């Protein structure tokens, strides 16, 4: 019997999926195949298909009947409203599962990468630390539809499903503006250039609330663990760094890392106040030889989203620990490391 694992990473060019693909490549006994509409890396086995085309997916998957595991990390286009396209996200997943069941005789596991919006963090305060079996909030929430679909579809089948729920996935990802570290770094650089304090632009309540994040590498470790752990079958698990922070404590540390003077709480819409700062960034960019324009480094609407959470954002890692997962990340060290990574990549200026 062939026990080799061949893992298909769907949406493999995305923020979370790229690290899962990288981690999968380094896992002994595991072959990784990427899937996206375009093939970015000719050195990695790749399938090109559009998730909105059922026939195209079936044709692509039929070329790799050896695939045993699938990590689904794709999402329909969305803005920062919090509510995402339910019909579109469900349709893409259904197309994939239809094609997988028709073309993959060795299919053993389908994993869904979801997130903290499961608990309604985009709506307002919720019970914390959130546990995987907490009551759902008022829909719509495409995570609910996808998990209900995959659970019903799996019933009586040989394959199993699992789901991860990270929270604000952070990584060194040049060119992806929707990233907390690069956005904070651009804001700090602009503050320094204009000789103004590095004020905290969020709500006063956000300043003192507990918050958490997920290192993309830790998420990758967790997802690969779920694929190989029988106790994870047909279950969802929170997947965060395992610690938490208050912006009031972290902000002076970030100011030191960025080489700027920490300010005070001064609530303002970043999307509004930073809208005219492209020329300031261009001056910084020219002076330091930085690689990317501002719209590829910072997402001010994303900043308004995470700075607007004036309540605790915290998930319990107890279920994952009880099932055997031991991974963790020191969030403060992660921020420092990723700031250094963006500098080394020529995206953020030196301190």
């Amino acid at each position: 019997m062939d026990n080799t694992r061949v893992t298909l990473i769907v949406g493999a060019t995305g923020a979370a999926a790229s690290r899962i693909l990288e981690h999968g490549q380094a896992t002994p006994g595991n072959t990784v195949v990427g899937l996206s509409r375009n093939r970015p890396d000719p050195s990695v086995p790749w399938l090109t298909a559009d998730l909105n085309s059922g026939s195209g997916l079936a044709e692509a998957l039929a070329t790799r009947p050896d695939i045993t595991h699938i990590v689904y990390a794709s999402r329909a286009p969305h803005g920062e409203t919090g509510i995402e396209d339910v019909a579109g996200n469900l349709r893409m997943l259904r197309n994939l599962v239809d094609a997988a069941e028709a073309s993959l005789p060795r299919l053993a596991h389908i994993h869904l990468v979801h997130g903290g919006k499961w608990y309604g963090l985009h709506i307002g305060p919720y019970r914390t630390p959130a546990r995987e079996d907490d009551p759902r909030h008022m829909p719509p929430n495409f995570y609910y539809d996808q998990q209900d679909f995959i659970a019903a579809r799996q019933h009586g089948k040989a394959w199993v499903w699992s789901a991860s729920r990270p929270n604000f996935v952070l990584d060194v990802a040049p060119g992806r503006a929707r990233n907390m570290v690069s956005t904070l770094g651009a804001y700090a650089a602009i503050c320094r250039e204009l000789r103004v304090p590095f004020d905290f632009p969020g709500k006063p309540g956000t300043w003192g609330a507990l918050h958490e994040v997920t290192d993309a590498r830790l998420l990758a470790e967790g997802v690969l663990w779920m694929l190989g752990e029988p106790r994870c079958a047909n279950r969802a698990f929170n997947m965060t760094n395992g610690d938490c922070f208050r912006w009031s404590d972290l902000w002076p540390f970030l100011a030191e890392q960025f080489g700027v003077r920490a300010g005070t709480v001064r609530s303002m819409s970043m999307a509004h106040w930073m809208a005219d700062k492209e020329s300031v960034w261009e001056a910084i960019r020219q002076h330091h030889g930085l690689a990317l324009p501002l719209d590829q480094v910072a997402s001010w609407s994303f900043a308004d989203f995470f700075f607007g959470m004036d309540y605790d954002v915290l998930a319990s890692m107890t279920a994952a620990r009880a099932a055997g997962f031991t991974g963790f990340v020191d969030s403060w060290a992660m921020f420092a490391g990723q700031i250094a990574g963006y500098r080394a990549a020529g995206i953020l200026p030196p301190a």
Side-chain angles (χ1 to χ4, degrees), residues 119 126-131 167 210-212 243-244 312-316:
Y119 304 111
Y126 58 99
R127 186 172 71 178
T128 55
R131 300 173 68 93
N167 206 347
L210 289 172
H211 288 264
E212 66 183 359
D243 61 4
C244 56
D312 290 351
V313 175
L314 192 63
S316 170

Side-chain angles (χ1 to χ4, degrees), residues 257-296:
Q257 294 295 311
F258 290 130
V260 66
R261 178 165 56 94
T264 186
V265 177
R266 193 183 297 272
S267 302
M268 57 183 175
S269 165
M270 298 289 275
H272 174 73
W273 283 97
M274 305 304 289
D276 64 346
K277 301 302 187 292
E278 186 173 350
S279 60
V280 181
W281 177 258
E282 282 302 308
I284 298 168
R285 185 182 172 193
Q286 292 300 318
H287 179 71
H288 295 284
L290 302 181
L292 297 176
L294 187 57
D295 64 358
Q296 294 182 40

Side-chain angles (χ1 to χ4, degrees), residues 91-266:
R91 180 178 60 251
M92 294 191 301
L93 178 61
R94 180 181 287 112
N95 287 343
L96 176 72
V97 175
D98 287 346
E101 289 196 317
S103 305
L104 307 180
R106 298 178 59 220
L107 181 64
H109 197 130
I110 299 176
H111 178 85
L112 308 179
V113 178
H114 281 168
K117 285 184 181 179
W118 178 279
Y119 304 111
L121 65 81
H122 55 302
I123 300 173
Y126 58 99
R127 186 172 71 178
T128 55
R131 300 173 68 93
E132 290 84 349
D133 58 355
D134 282 350
R136 298 180 179 188
H137 68 72
M138 177 73 74
N141 188 321
F142 84 88
Y143 292 154
Y144 301 164
D145 297 79
Q146 285 191 336
Q147 183 169 307
D148 289 346
F149 163 75
I150 203 75
R153 190 65 171 265
Q154 183 276 333
H155 186 70
K157 304 292 177 61
W159 55 270
V160 300
W161 65 270
S162 63
S164 53
R165 297 177 187 167
N167 206 347
F168 290 108
V169 179
L170 274 62
D171 195 11
V172 178
R176 293 196 184 105
R178 194 181 187 274
N179 184 288
M180 192 179 289
V181 174
S182 63
T183 297
L184 289 170
Y187 171 54
I190 290 169
C191 288
R192 187 171 62 178
E193 182 73 9
L194 295 176
R195 299 182 179 180
V196 300
F198 183 51
D199 286 329
F200 180 77
K203 294 180 180 180
T206 310
W207 182 244
L210 289 172
H211 288 264
E212 66 183 359
V213 292
T214 301
D215 188 307
R217 290 181 173 86
L218 180 74
L219 174 60
E221 179 186 346
V223 169
L224 271 292
W225 164 74
M226 289 183 216
L227 293 183
E229 173 53 64
R231 287 175 289 182
C232 296
N234 303 326
R235 296 178 63 189
F237 292 91
N238 295 328
M239 192 55 56
T240 68
N241 283 0
D243 61 4
C244 56
F245 60 86
R246 301 182 197 276
W247 286 110
S248 57
D249 295 325
L250 185 65
W251 203 251
F253 173 78
L254 292 176
E256 181 181 2
Q257 294 295 311
F258 290 130
V260 66
R261 178 165 56 94
T264 186
V265 177
R266 193 183 297 272

Side-chain angles (χ1 to χ4, degrees), residues 57-86:
L57 274 170
E59 185 177 329
L61 265 60
T63 67
R64 291 300 305 254
D66 57 334
I67 290 170
T68 58
H69 294 66
I70 296 175
V71 174
Y72 184 85
S74 190
R75 291 161 76 178
H78 64 284
E80 296 300 343
T81 61
I83 299 174
E84 301 186 38
D85 181 2
V86 172

